[in-house]
């Protein structure tokens, strides 16, 4: 098909953008987008061809050629950053004054320090993907909303337990209560 040979991060971003553009602003939508960009596969290096020359030069200056797996991680992560920026711009372009949204960005596990094509780092935490130490299970995340978060949670940190499969139930519960909660 037309998507054969397209890097998954680029493909997912394109499809999500189309979904946002086609969505009706009169009813809520739920869009779950699980990027694969920084996982250990031999195609992550292909994202470098999608990056601008200035971004490539920045990554190559920051990470020596003697560490190609770390560069591959940077290429994949930059592709995700660009995808998120594209979706943010699309939301801002199509939203109206009464269109409110919540954006959640999070990891699913710690990075793999022993990859074959791409390696992450969980420093200063001990452990990595597939391990129960903090480096394998504590991941960063953010929640942003243009209007739906209560002021009591803005600029706060949550240190409790949470698993990414809890998000759908959390959103459904919030919608059932109404936006005022």
């Amino acid at each position: 098909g037309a998507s054969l040979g397209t890097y998954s991060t680029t493909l997912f971003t394109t499809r999500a953008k189309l979904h946002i553009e086609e969505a009706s602003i009169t009813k809520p939508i739920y869009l779950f987008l699980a990027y694969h960009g920084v996982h250990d596969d031999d195609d992550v290096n292909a994202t470098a061809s999608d990056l601008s020359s200035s971004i490539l030069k920045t990554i190559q200056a920051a990470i020596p050629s003697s560490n190609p797996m770390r560069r591959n991680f940077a290429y994949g992560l930059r592709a995700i950053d660009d995808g998120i920026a594209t979706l943010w711009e699309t939301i801002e372009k199509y939203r109206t004054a009464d269109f409110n949204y919540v954006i959640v960005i999070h990891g699913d596990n710690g990075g793999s320090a022993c990859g074959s094509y791409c390696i992450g780092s969980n420093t200063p935490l001990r452990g990595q993907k597939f391990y129960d130490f903090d480096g394998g299970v504590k991941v960063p995340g953010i929640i942003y909303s243009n209007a739906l978060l209560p002021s009591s949670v803005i600029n706060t940190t949550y240190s409790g337990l949470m698993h990414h499969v809890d998000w759908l139930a959390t959103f459904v519960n919030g919608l059932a209560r109404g936006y005022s909660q």
Side-chain angles (χ1 to χ4, degrees), residues 146-159:
N146 65 323
L148 298 176
L149 294 177
S151 60
S152 62
V153 301
I154 294 174
N155 294 322
T156 62
T157 300
Y158 177 72
S159 302

Side-chain angles (χ1 to χ4, degrees), residues 2 7 9 40 61 65 78 83 90 101 105 115 117 131 133-134 139 143 155-156 163-164 166 169-170:
Y7 189 63
T9 300
D40 187 36
S65 60
R78 181 57 197 231
T90 304
Y101 56 90
I105 302 171
Y117 305 99
Y131 287 84
F133 295 112
D134 284 353
V139 295
I143 302 172
N155 294 322
T156 62
H163 194 275
H164 62 93
D166 295 333
T170 301

Side-chain angles (χ1 to χ4, degrees), residues 75-141:
Y75 297 148
L77 186 59
R78 181 57 197 231
I80 290 173
D81 287 350
D82 290 347
I84 291 169
T86 295
L87 297 179
W88 173 270
E89 291 163 2
T90 304
I91 289 170
E92 287 295 308
K93 178 180 177 183
Y94 287 94
R95 78 178 184 93
T96 60
D98 60 344
F99 178 79
N100 297 315
Y101 56 90
V102 177
I103 296 175
V104 177
I105 302 171
H106 64 86
D108 61 347
N109 50 251
S112 176
C114 301
S116 299
Y117 305 99
C118 177
I119 57 173
S121 172
N122 305 306
T123 303
L125 303 176
R126 177 183 178 196
Q128 63 179 348
K129 181 177 182 172
F130 303 121
Y131 287 84
D132 293 332
F133 295 112
D134 284 353
V137 296
K138 282 189 174 179
V139 295

